[in-house]
Amino acid sequence: NGPILSSVSTSATDTNIDINITPAGTGDVVLAADTVKVGDAAAAATLTSNGAGTLTVTTGGTEDLVLSTNSGTTSGTVTITDAANEAITLTPNGTGVVDIAGSMNPSVSSTGKALVMGF
């Protein structure tokens, strides 16, 4: 129910108009909210770098980075623990498994109790 910032077409040919937010110099675009939502309810959303640069996702302090789906509800997670020499934890939901596949088609599966490796 907040205010809407939108682009407006001035002709029938202007159907897909971006909204650009450009800070001065090396300034940042700051979204001061606990949650930032991307996309709409009817389509998948993608975060990408603008050009050939690397897209980096990081926390603003000494906190872990957690990736999850479904707004964190009934979701497995990938947790990158903050600090030197800390672990990356892959946690499946329920009886789900963690599958890792490579060019030689090796796979690693875990149900939380046992680790099974196959090549």
Side-chain angles (χ1 to χ4, degrees), residues 23-62:
T26 59
D28 295 325
V29 174
V30 177
L31 303 173
D34 293 336
T35 301
V36 176
K37 295 184 178 185
V38 178
D40 60 32
T46 301
L47 294 176
T48 185
S49 62
N50 189 18
T54 300
L55 176 65
T56 301
V57 177
T58 184
T59 61
T62 57

Side-chain angles (χ1 to χ4, degrees), residues 65-95:
L65 177 63
V66 179
L67 304 175
S68 68
T69 60
N70 197 24
S71 296
T73 306
T74 63
S75 166
T77 60
V78 175
T79 301
I80 301 173
T81 305
D82 181 62
N85 301 315
E86 288 295 334
I88 296 174
T89 305
L90 306 173
T91 307
N93 180 26
T95 59

